[in-house]
Amino acid sequence: MLARPRLSSLIGLVLRHVGIEATVTASPARARLLLRQREPALLVADIGRGPFAARLLESARSGRATLALVDLDRGKSSLTALGGGADDVMRVPFTPDELAVRTAQVLQRVGVPTSMVRNVEVGGLELSLDEYAHVGSRTVRLSAGDNSLLYLLVANAGRRVARADIRDLSWGVEHAAPVEAVDAAVARLERTLGAVDVLRIERVDDAVVARLPALRMRSLHDARRRPAKN
């Protein structure tokens, strides 16, 4: 996958629903090397990364599925991406279920079998393509916009997600939305989820950070179990 960092994390989380382990890079040279070394079944390229993303799609036309990500507000079009070799096109922002379904479809068209699961667990929080979350013993219904924002924040847990990234990558938030509208969307998600131990949402300067304590604890536990290097 060749995409912007916060977008890459979001896509990687969503692709878990179709059993795909994503390898991410922001370097076109590294992307070309990975295509030669690993021969992945699917290439996802963010056209917003520049001309090299379009060239990468064109060079990868045979033997694998290709999915282009386009942001119409940045002057990119689906027609251009399809004409450049993409098997399918997704507009950014997207809802998690749209990306999962479209990815499964494009893989099936090139003969790669897929199976989809509706829910994934991250750090004690269960996310769903069906727009709800399991939080402890509770099931919380979410709007499409709230679910999209939750996926974005959880995918980037522990990292700052700038308000500009929320505008660009969270479905349901207008690209031209003022800071107050972005903050209101985050506050609405917090109210909907209610008080939970598994997730904490913080404001840090001009960004938002999702904290998943269980995810951090599990990472530390796994690190202790790793054998020491000789």
Side-chain angles (χ1 to χ4, degrees), residues 1-4 25-32 35 43-60 76 84:
M1 183 196 318
L2 178 67
R4 290 163 272 174
T25 181
S27 162
R30 175 66 174 161
R32 286 192 292 268
L35 283 174
L43 168 67
V44 180
D46 175 11
I47 300 300
R49 296 298 296 174
F52 50 80
R55 291 197 295 269
L56 188 66
L57 280 170
E58 187 173 0
S59 67
K76 307 300 179 182

Side-chain angles (χ1 to χ4, degrees), residues 87-105:
D87 294 313
D88 205 348
V89 175
M90 284 284 304
R91 285 188 59 179
V92 179
F94 46 77
T95 58
D97 61 322
E98 181 187 10
L99 176 61
V101 170
R102 294 277 288 278
T103 300
Q105 289 175 341

Side-chain angles (χ1 to χ4, degrees), residues 71 73 91-95 143-150 152-153 161-189 208:
D71 188 335
D73 288 339
R91 285 188 59 179
V92 179
F94 46 77
T95 58
S143 68
D146 287 344
N147 203 42
S148 177
L149 177 57
L150 181 61
L152 175 62
L153 295 179
V161 181
R163 288 187 178 93
D165 285 332
I166 292 175
R167 279 196 297 258
D168 289 346
L169 306 178
S170 182
W171 187 91
V173 178
E174 294 294 332
H175 275 38
V179 168
E180 294 78 12
V182 176
D183 289 341
V186 175
R188 184 180 62 246
L189 174 62
V208 178

Side-chain angles (χ1 to χ4, degrees), residues 31-196:
R32 286 192 292 268
L33 179 62
L34 287 171
L35 283 174
R36 291 196 300 269
Q37 290 180 338
R38 301 194 178 187
E39 299 185 356
L42 173 69
L43 168 67
V44 180
D46 175 11
I47 300 300
R49 296 298 296 174
F52 50 80
R55 291 197 295 269
L56 188 66
L57 280 170
E58 187 173 0
S59 67
R61 289 180 105 164
S62 61
R64 62 178 55 86
T66 54
L67 178 65
L69 306 171
V70 299
D71 188 335
L72 299 187
D73 288 339
R74 296 188 179 199
K76 307 300 179 182
S77 73
S78 301
L79 182 62
T80 301
L82 289 169
D87 294 313
D88 205 348
V89 175
M90 284 284 304
R91 285 188 59 179
V92 179
F94 46 77
T95 58
D97 61 322
E98 181 187 10
L99 176 61
V101 170
R102 294 277 288 278
T103 300
Q105 289 175 341
V106 75
L107 285 169
Q108 288 168 4
R109 287 203 295 269
V110 297
V112 177
T114 61
S115 59
M116 184 180 298
V117 296
R118 306 298 298 182
N119 294 10
V120 296
E121 186 273 332
V122 183
L125 182 68
E126 188 173 326
L127 307 178
S128 176
L129 298 177
D130 297 318
E131 295 169 3
Y132 65 84
H134 283 311
V135 184
S137 61
R138 295 187 298 122
T139 298
V140 181
R141 298 299 310 181
L142 300 168
S143 68
D146 287 344
N147 203 42
S148 177
L149 177 57
L150 181 61
Y151 266 80
L152 175 62
L153 295 179
V154 169
N156 290 283
R159 296 186 290 266
R160 297 185 180 194
V161 181
R163 288 187 178 93
D165 285 332
I166 292 175
R167 279 196 297 258
D168 289 346
L169 306 178
S170 182
W171 187 91
V173 178
E174 294 294 332
H175 275 38
V179 168
E180 294 78 12
V182 176
D183 289 341
V186 175
R188 184 180 62 246
L189 174 62
E190 290 180 295
R191 288 193 303 272
T192 302
L193 292 173
V196 294

